[in-house]
Amino acid sequence: MFRPVSIIGALSFSKINWRERILVGWIAPRGIVAVAICGLFGTELVELGYADGALLIPLAFAMVFSTVVLHGFSIRPMARYLDLAVNGPPGVLIVGAHRWTIDLATRLDELDIPVVITDSRWHSLRAAREAGLTTFYGEVLSEVFEHHLDTSALGKLIATTDNDAYNTLVCTDFAPEFGRRSVFQTGIHRAPEDRSRHSASQTLGGLPFCSDPLTTDDIRNAYRNGASIRQTRLTDSFGWDDFLGHHEQAPPVLALVRGNQLFIGTDIPKAKARDVILYLGNGETDSTA
């Protein structure tokens, strides 16, 4: 009873709408603070001769357990009822606006995969804006980004800037939010003898963007030689083997879309009928069944 009242009072002059206020007011799990206070006062009550004070700690744990279970199972139905749940497939956040990332974002957008492309350079986002893509101009590691872009509909991140260390930092920062298996990054070519001195720890950063793996330089060089992001939808009569037979060499697969699911990098499963393959290829048209 007190939780909804306190939330309504605290947010009465904010821009948060009434649906969000109800949801925040409903979700009120109790935790370590309640248990600690009950442990303190329970002991004091027992010492003062009130034997029932010993029941405060188990009652506090029971309250914590019940609220966690109740709110944990009810938050999704409540969010759907209030029209606050994310509908549709999880999207992808692309950090770094380049010619090839804009092409990739355009392909994903055509497949109804939500895409946000961000860059700290305004002019780099011009082509993305002209293509009608959702863009964010600014620094993704700043508090401004957190306050001005809703990432609830985004489930994956690809860091593609020219700075390998920055890509690692971005992936490390967003890994707790998106999940360690959902953050990817490209790399920059460097001499083999320099890798041990300049590369980040394997426990930091994201997964390789492409299973080959491709670096930023590889993709740029391919684009200079006429390559672009292309797509093929497999069918029962045009499968994976037919796709490979359509090319002299197996092209680098960048992503696979299966229904409303997006797979990137080393997480790409074996392709099957009705999957859409996004790859780096040459030629004027996509390969089709």
Side-chain angles (χ1 to χ4, degrees):
M1 175 180 178
F2 295 103
R3 170 75 176 190
V5 173
S6 63
I7 291 298
I8 293 174
L11 301 178
S12 57
F13 298 101
S14 70
K15 296 181 180 179
I16 299 177
N17 60 52
W18 64 270
R19 292 185 179 87
E20 294 173 336
R21 296 181 189 182
I22 291 177
L23 183 64
V24 175
W26 169 246
I27 303 303
R30 278 74 178 176
I32 188 63
V33 175
V35 174
I37 291 177
C38 289
L40 174 63
F41 285 100
T43 303
E44 293 291 337
L45 289 173
V46 171
E47 291 178 355
L48 291 174
Y50 297 94
D52 291 341
L55 298 176
L56 284 179
I57 295 179
L59 287 174
F61 275 105
M63 179 186 64
V64 171
F65 178 80
S66 60
T67 55
V68 169
V69 171
L70 175 63
H71 296 136
F73 282 100
S74 64
I75 184 171
R76 186 178 295 273
M78 177 69 76
R80 289 176 177 172
Y81 178 76
L82 295 173
D83 196 25
L84 295 175
V86 176
N87 297 317
V92 57
L93 174 65
I94 300 178
V95 181
H98 314 287
R99 181 183 170 191
W100 70 270
T101 57
I102 294 173
D103 286 350
L104 176 62
T106 301
R107 293 286 188 177
L108 293 174
D109 184 67
E110 292 171 350
L111 295 170
D112 296 326
I113 300 294
V115 182
V116 176
I117 186 165
T118 177
D119 203 296
S120 58
R121 301 166 298 181
W122 176 258
H123 65 275
S124 297
L125 292 169
R126 177 179 178 180
R129 292 192 298 267
E130 292 176 347
L133 299 171
T134 302
T135 62
F136 178 85
Y137 165 60
E139 172 57 62
V140 296
L141 297 177
S142 67
E143 294 183 0
V144 175
F145 177 84
E146 298 178 0
H147 296 157
H148 289 79
L149 183 64
D150 182 12
T151 60
S152 60
L154 304 175
K156 297 182 184 296
L157 177 143
I158 309 174
T160 68
T161 70
D162 296 333
N163 190 324
D164 197 22
Y166 179 77
N167 293 339
T168 299
L169 180 62
V170 169
C171 290
T172 302
D173 187 72
F174 280 89
E177 179 178 353
F178 287 176
R180 183 67 175 82
R181 303 290 300 178
S182 296
V183 290
F184 305 87
Q185 69 180 99
T186 57
I188 303 294
H189 269 317
R190 57 174 64 95
E193 62 271 13
D194 293 334
R195 289 178 182 171
S196 60
R197 292 190 294 116
H198 296 285
S199 59
S201 170
Q202 294 182 355
T203 60
L204 300 176
L207 300 176
F209 168 61
C210 185
S211 56
D212 281 357
L214 289 178
T215 66
T216 303
D217 289 341
D218 291 330
I219 301 176
R220 283 180 170 173
N221 290 334
Y223 257 70
R224 293 189 187 102
N225 294 324
S228 60
I229 307 296
R230 307 202 173 277
Q231 73 179 52
T232 293
R233 183 181 295 274
L234 303 183
T235 66
D236 293 328
S237 59
F238 188 88
W240 176 250
D241 293 336
D242 300 303
F243 169 76
L244 294 179
H246 194 83
H247 301 84
E248 295 182 1
Q249 295 182 347
V253 176
L254 305 182
L256 182 145
V257 179
R258 176 174 295 168
N260 62 359
Q261 291 183 295
L262 173 65
F263 299 93
I264 302 174
T266 55
D267 288 337
I268 295 179
K270 183 177 180 180
K272 59 183 182 180
R274 288 173 290 281
D275 287 349
V276 177
I277 302 171
L278 300 179
Y279 62 97
L280 188 64
N282 294 292
E284 296 181 356
T285 59
D286 298 333
S287 59
T288 56

